[in-house]
Amino acid sequence: MKYSISKDARLFSKALDLDDETQLFCDIGRHGWSDLIVASKGNLRSFRVSDVFTDFPAALLEICRFAIENSALRIALYDEPGGAVCTLEPDKKQQHTMVLSIFEVDGTGVETQGKQVFALRIRRQRLVGMLMAELWKAHVSLQQPSYQKGRSSFPHKQLVALNKAWDLSELGPSFLK
């Protein structure tokens, strides 16, 4: 499946050349609100996620798992209302890369594709590294009672298990220890 880039997405990536500059950050916030933040060439874009509808850390782990396995994925990150849909598409010619796209949806359902607002071709290892590092920061921070206050549960065991799977994959070894 191929995706074209909308005019808005060109703010982030003029073409789907390999992108080694874009950064992804994840803020697992308090009281059920989290953010996926994209930083690219001086532009910031934030996608708000509501814990009422989406288990944000589990969704990020799913993205990482599919990237490690080099498999296609479509996953919703719901806000109130609307949200975003992330897609991963393996590159059949370059097995070390994937296309990550983000579509904004208006809340009428994931069935609609939404408006594509971001797309990039990225090395699988880099994508997994960025997202797993963000999850690992939360994993460590959540060991402090003051940081835990107001935050939902976190999939600690699943994170550790996926990190081990990363070690054993063709992308390994993981740099998170």
Side-chain angles (χ1 to χ4, degrees):
M1 195 181 306
K2 288 188 175 184
Y3 296 102
S4 62
I5 301 174
S6 70
K7 289 180 184 177
D8 291 341
R10 288 193 184 109
L11 291 173
F12 294 100
S13 180
K14 292 181 181 172
L16 286 183
D17 294 331
L18 188 62
D19 185 322
D20 283 333
E21 297 174 7
T22 298
Q23 295 291 317
L24 302 175
F25 302 97
C26 307
D27 176 35
I28 299 170
R30 290 180 180 211
H31 310 296
W33 296 103
S34 297
D35 292 284
L36 173 63
I37 303 160
V38 180
S40 181
K41 299 176 176 91
N43 294 305
L44 291 175
R45 182 86 189 233
S46 181
F47 300 92
R48 193 79 157 154
V49 182
S50 169
D51 192 35
V52 170
F53 300 109
T54 303
D55 183 341
F56 186 56
L60 295 176
L61 281 173
E62 194 75 352
I63 292 169
C64 292
R65 184 172 66 82
F66 275 74
I68 289 169
E69 295 172 357
N70 202 26
S71 299
L73 172 70
R74 185 169 192 264
I75 193 164
L77 304 174
Y78 289 114
D79 191 6
E80 295 177 33
V85 172
C86 295
T87 63
L88 278 181
E89 285 292 325
D91 185 327
K92 295 187 185 341
K93 293 180 183 178
Q94 297 179 337
Q95 294 289 311
H96 70 290
T97 68
M98 299 189 94
V99 174
L100 171 68
S101 300
I102 301 177
F103 300 83
E104 285 185 333
V105 293
D106 61 12
T108 58
V110 179
E111 305 80 40
T112 60
Q113 186 68 25
K115 177 184 175 189
Q116 185 178 28
V117 293
F118 175 76
L120 84 151
R121 179 175 308 282
I122 188 168
R123 296 175 207 278
R124 290 170 42 218
Q125 184 181 42
R126 187 163 187 277
L127 175 62
V128 171
M130 279 191 288
L131 293 178
M132 290 286 285
E134 292 296 305
L135 289 166
W136 204 265
K137 286 190 309 188
H139 168 71
V140 171
S141 294
L142 283 166
Q143 294 172 13
Q144 301 168 14
S146 62
Y147 189 81
Q148 290 173 10
K149 188 174 181 179
R151 288 187 170 81
S152 299
S153 63
F154 187 87
H156 296 280
K157 291 179 184 176
Q158 293 88 339
L159 176 64
V160 172
L162 188 60
N163 197 48
K164 288 178 184 175
W166 178 10
D167 265 338
L168 300 174
S169 78
E170 64 187 35
L171 297 182
S174 165
F175 56 80
L176 300 170
K177 304 294 179 200

